[in-house]
Amino acid sequence: MTRSRGPWATALRRLFRDRAAVAALAVFILVVTVCFLAPAYASWAGVDPFRSTLDAIIKVNGQDMPVMEQSTEGLGLGYTPIGPTWQLGNYFLGADNQGRDVMARLLYGGLNSLLIAGAATILTLTFATLIGLAAGFFGGIVDLVLSRILDILWAFPIYLLAISLSIVLIAQGIELGPITIQSGSLWLPIFIIGVVYIPYVARPVRGQVLALRESEFVLAAIGLGVPSHRILLRDILPNVSTTLIVFVPIMLALNMLTESALSFLSIGVQPPAASWGTIIQDGQTLLYTRPLVAMAPGIAIVITVLALNVLGDGLRDALDPRSKIRIGRG
């Protein structure tokens, strides 16, 4: 007699049968691993990615070369940063307009972008789940108040709301009783990005909870006098968890794009910290001489977001195989 597989084991087996999803997961894990090695790379290369080194001299193919080269265009005024040496640990991707190692800054920037996107995703999913569970299960005045708050946030375009909050809070930070977030802290973009996406997760969760609230097993538990918190934790939350899992890679991708946009506009990550968005901004003035300064973080964003989107599709198909059938029939 064969032992039946549990639903999670079955979903995991479906996921690993999806080659595109497995490849996307491998790419994302590789990106995360490489970015988390940023401090080790900077130490090995002997560079400080946050300090200007305009007068540094490095060896390339046995020859001494300045990091900032005398400009040969026009009147010959100013300096141009050294281009890619393609030597790991030795300005592999060249330098930016302040003589900083682009490769080291790319890794540190990716580390900050991933940390902000990950923390904002946790914040979004946590509050959206609490709001969705409360509104869908209790209904009445609770649902009315929470739904109207979500409607107010929903009425603003995502980037307009994020930019508005960033401009207001970037100068003064946030003070919520004993909690203080300074304007230069990474917690500020985490808070802003985490808040603006709450309605987009809370609404689907609320709708799913409303349907579960009328199901037979929940009505039976209510009839037996089971406390509300036990019904929410044992009966409803496990049935909503698959939706939340599918949201994780989607929200990571969206949060990363939002953070990069805010940082590019100088209202996200603040100096001396770096993110992929700030590095793209630094490379604007070098597009014609050293385009790789701006292109490298842009390519990194595209690869990471694409991997997360493919992984999200794979998770959806693994956790809800009926979605694939509905799409095929449509």
Side-chain angles (χ1 to χ4, degrees):
M1 182 176 179
T2 59
R3 190 176 179 181
S4 61
R5 295 176 179 268
W8 292 107
T10 303
L12 195 62
R13 186 160 54 97
R14 288 198 202 101
L15 178 64
F16 283 111
R17 284 180 175 177
D18 188 337
R19 295 183 179 179
V22 172
L25 178 61
V27 170
F28 181 66
I29 292 174
L30 178 62
V31 171
V32 172
T33 303
V34 170
C35 289
F36 270 88
L37 292 174
Y41 179 85
S43 176
W44 172 61
V47 296
D48 185 349
F50 306 109
R51 183 172 61 87
S52 298
T53 53
L54 302 177
D55 56 350
I57 304 294
I58 62 172
K59 282 190 176 293
V60 180
N61 298 324
Q63 297 182 351
D64 290 338
M65 295 188 65
V67 171
M68 302 298 290
E69 303 171 329
Q70 182 73 38
S71 178
T72 58
E73 298 181 0
L75 298 175
L77 302 175
Y79 293 86
T80 302
I82 190 172
T85 64
W86 307 120
Q87 298 175 1
L88 275 176
N90 190 28
Y91 286 80
F92 181 76
L93 296 176
D96 63 7
N97 53 8
Q98 296 188 40
R100 299 171 297 193
D101 190 322
V102 174
M103 183 65 183
R105 283 183 62 78
L106 181 71
L107 297 181
Y108 268 102
L111 180 60
N112 284 336
S113 292
L114 289 168
L115 287 175
I116 292 171
T121 298
I122 294 173
L123 181 65
T124 298
L125 294 179
T126 300
F127 281 95
T129 302
L130 293 174
I131 293 172
L133 288 175
F137 184 78
F138 295 107
I141 188 66
V142 176
D143 186 19
L144 180 65
V145 172
L146 293 177
S147 295
R148 295 299 76 78
I149 294 174
L150 293 178
D151 287 341
I152 293 172
L153 291 174
W154 189 282
F156 290 91
I158 285 291
Y159 282 96
L160 178 60
L161 180 58
I163 291 171
S164 301
L165 289 174
S166 297
I167 291 174
V168 171
L169 299 176
I170 202 69
Q172 58 188 20
I174 301 175
E175 291 186 9
L176 297 173
I179 301 175
T180 301
I181 302 177
Q182 301 295 333
S183 59
S185 172
L186 294 182
W187 285 105
L188 188 59
I190 289 171
F191 173 80
I192 293 170
I193 297 170
V195 166
V196 298
Y197 281 109
I198 287 176
Y200 296 85
V201 180
R203 278 178 171 268
V205 172
R206 172 184 172 274
Q208 196 168 357
V209 173
L210 283 173
L212 290 168
R213 176 70 171 73
E214 303 301 323
S215 60
E216 293 181 357
F217 66 94
V218 173
L219 292 175
I222 295 173
L224 292 172
V226 179
S228 298
H229 68 276
R230 293 189 63 182
I231 297 175
L232 286 170
L233 292 177
R234 293 190 176 185
D235 297 323
I236 294 182
L237 186 58
N239 286 282
V240 178
S241 60
T242 54
T243 301
L244 298 175
I245 292 172
V246 173
F247 265 116
V248 170
I250 298 172
M251 294 311 304
L252 278 172
L254 288 173
N255 290 340
M256 186 172 294
L257 289 173
T258 306
E259 180 278 321
S260 297
L262 294 178
S263 297
F264 178 78
L265 296 172
S266 301
I267 51 178
V269 175
Q270 299 297 301
S275 76
W276 283 337
T278 61
I279 300 172
I280 294 175
Q281 183 197 45
D282 293 338
Q284 279 188 104
T285 58
L286 300 172
L287 283 176
Y288 295 104
T289 55
R290 296 291 181 261
L292 204 57
V293 176
M295 288 177 61
I299 293 171
I301 292 172
V302 170
I303 292 173
T304 307
V305 171
L306 180 61
L308 287 169
N309 280 322
V310 174
L311 178 60
D313 288 341
L315 280 172
R316 181 202 62 203
D317 295 337
L319 294 170
D320 185 12
R322 291 173 301 173
S323 62
K324 197 178 266 189
I325 297 173
R326 286 196 297 267
I327 294 171
R329 288 179 179 175

